[in-house]
């Protein structure tokens, strides 16, 4: 083989390597895009249940997908993408909440009334319902962190106790016991509030 | 998860569940996925590019090229080093006489740093008697002129005949 032939064949091989790398990058980008299409709504709802602020929630979801993008080469190793993504967004949300200490929008009764479905209800009924929900959410905020997290995640019907345990990285029995405690505490808090009125 | 009875009051657990499910069930805003994708596109780091020929040539094919390049690089570096060695003149030696170094006296005493101290105590008296110088006898002529007379003594003038 002459030197020119060797150089040419080497150049061809490099073109193939580059093509393969680009194809892998494109496929991993496509995988991330597919995850966005599939789970963006779920992640938004999970994040909103804690932050209750539209702009902050979108930022948190974006940050979660940025973390996914950084690990796009290892996406194939993830067993359950849904639980994995919820865990990522959950950690992002908790970090943000710890850092910024933003006041949830739904602390305001008017904001709660805005997000409430107005299915055949009068304005007065909507206002009363909004006030009630705002009070319940204020009580939820008073719960200890561990109990509150489990209670908030339990509201998502698509998450089983096993999946909640996977998200919070605790055992399933811990999920159940924390949920039990959270509900008891919530009942006490609500009774106390009613007693004050 | 199913709503449960709390403290014997089913309504307490139910209303908490209802509120949390209401918040959890809120629909995401429209165009969320598109915004997320756009954000990822702009923030995505540039992918590493495979270096073109001949950096990643296999050793069997482009080995001679690499060796030649390495040899050329080595030659250039050696030439540059030799040039620098030739053209850089060494600094001339200083024309100064070296200071004489006094040899240190081994085991001797030195007066450096010594300090004179006045004697404040009465020292011992010498036992040797001080020698007295005998007084000169004054002759008659000298006596007349006052030589040999004690200082302060009155000079007596003798009348001449």
């Amino acid at each position: 083989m002459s030197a020119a032939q060797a150089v040419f064949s080497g150049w061809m091989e490099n073109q193939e390597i580059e093509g393969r790398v680009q194809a892998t990058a494109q496929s991993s980008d496509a995988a991330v895009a597919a995850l966005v299409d599939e789970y963006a709504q779920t992640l938004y709802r999970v994040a909103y249940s804690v932050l209750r602020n539209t702009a902050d929630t979108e930022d948190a979801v974006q940050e979660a997908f940025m973390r996914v993008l950084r690990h796009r080469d290892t996406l194939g190793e993830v067993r359950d993408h849904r639980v994995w993504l919820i865990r990522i967004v959950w950690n992002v949300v908790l970090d943000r909440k710890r850092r910024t200490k933003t006041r949830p929008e739904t602390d305001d009764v008017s904001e709660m009334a805005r997000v409430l479905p107005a299915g055949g209800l009068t304005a007065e009924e909507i206002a009363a319902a909004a006030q009630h929900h705002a009070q319940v959410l204020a009580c939820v905020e008073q719960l200890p962190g561990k109990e509150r997290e489990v209670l908030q995640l339990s509201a998502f019907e698509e998450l089983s106790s096993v999946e909640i345990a996977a998200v919070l990285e605790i055992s399933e029995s811990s999920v159940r016991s924390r949920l039990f405690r959270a509900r008891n505490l919530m009942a006490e808090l609500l009774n106390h509030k009613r007693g004050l009125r | 998860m199913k709503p449960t009875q709390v403290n014997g009051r089913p309504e307490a657990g139910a209303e908490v569940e209802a509120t949390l499910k209401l918040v959890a069930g809120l629909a995401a805003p429209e165009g969320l996925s598109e915004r997320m994708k756009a954000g990822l596109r702009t923030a995505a780091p540039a992918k590493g590019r495979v270096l073109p020929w001949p950096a990643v040539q296999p050793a069997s094919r482009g080995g001679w090229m690499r060796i030649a390049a390495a040899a050329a690089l080595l030659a250039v570096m050696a030439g540059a080093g030799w040039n620098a060695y030739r053209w850089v003149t060494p600094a001339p030696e200083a024309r100064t006489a070296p200071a004489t170094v006094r040899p240190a006296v081994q085991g001797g005493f030195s007066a450096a740093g010594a300090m004179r101290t006045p004697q404040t105590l009465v020292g011992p008296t010498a036992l040797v008697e001080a020698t007295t110088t005998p007084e000169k006898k004054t002759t008659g002529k000298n006596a007349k002129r006052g030589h040999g007379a004690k200082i302060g003594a009155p000079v007596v003038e003798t009348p001449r005949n």
Side-chain angles (χ1 to χ4, degrees), chain A residues 3 7 9-11 13-14 18 21 25 32-33 36-37 40-41 44-45 48-49 58 61-62 65-66 69 72-73 112 115-117 132-133 136-137 151 154-157 161 164 179 183-184 186-187 190-191 194, chain B residues 1-4 6-7 9 12-13 15-29 32-40 43-54 56-58 61 64-65:
Chain A
V7 166
S9 62
W11 181 78
E13 195 169 301
N14 281 321
E18 195 167 354
V21 169
V32 174
V36 171
D37 284 334
Q41 310 275 331
Y44 180 89
R45 288 193 294 117
Y48 188 83
S49 70
E58 277 206 30
V61 175
Q62 183 79 66
F65 279 119
M66 288 300 296
L69 195 69
R72 59 186 154 183
D73 297 330
M112 194 69 209
V115 297
L116 271 176
H132 168 71
H133 289 310
V136 171
L137 290 173
L151 191 67
S154 72
F156 292 93
E157 286 180 350
S161 56
I164 292 171
L179 193 56
R183 283 172 176 156
N184 279 338
M186 277 302 296
L190 287 172
N191 285 338
R194 285 194 187 108
Chain B
M1 296 180 92
K2 289 175 186 174
T4 51
V6 178
N7 285 354
R9 288 186 344 108
E15 61 185 301
V16 173
E17 297 279 337
T19 304
L20 288 174
K21 279 184 179 169
L22 178 76
V23 174
L26 288 172
L32 177 74
S33 300
E34 281 66 38
R35 283 199 294 278
M36 294 294 123
K37 283 181 195 169
L40 291 176
K47 261 285 183 183
R49 219 173 138 264
V50 176
L51 288 173
W53 174 88
V56 288
Q57 282 279 342
R61 287 178 186 168
W64 62 273
M65 281 286 283

Side-chain angles (χ1 to χ4, degrees), chain B residues 7-146:
Chain B
N7 285 354
R9 288 186 344 108
E11 67 272 15
E15 61 185 301
V16 173
E17 297 279 337
T19 304
L20 288 174
K21 279 184 179 169
L22 178 76
V23 174
L26 288 172
E30 284 186 14
L32 177 74
S33 300
E34 281 66 38
R35 283 199 294 278
M36 294 294 123
K37 283 181 195 169
L40 291 176
R41 268 196 297 275
T42 54
K47 261 285 183 183
R49 219 173 138 264
V50 176
L51 288 173
W53 174 88
V56 288
Q57 282 279 342
S60 57
R61 287 178 186 168
W64 62 273
M65 281 286 283
R66 242 183 273 179
I67 291 166
L73 198 65
L74 209 65
V76 167
M77 283 175 68
W82 174 248
N83 257 348
Y85 174 73
R86 274 199 66 190
W87 289 103
V88 173
T89 52
E93 285 185 17
R95 289 181 187 172
T96 50
T100 51
V101 180
R102 288 183 185 172
V105 181
Q106 294 291 325
F109 295 100
S110 170
M115 204 163 61
R116 185 181 170 278
T117 52
Q119 194 174 0
T120 53
L121 295 171
V122 179
T125 53
L127 294 173
V128 183
E129 284 182 15
T131 51
T132 52
T133 49
E135 281 183 19
K136 281 184 179 179
K137 279 190 174 179
T138 52
T139 54
K141 189 180 177 183
N142 286 339
K144 282 179 190 171
R145 289 183 183 173

Side-chain angles (χ1 to χ4, degrees), chain A residues 51 80 82 86:
Chain A
L51 295 172
D80 190 344
R82 189 168 61 102
I86 290 174

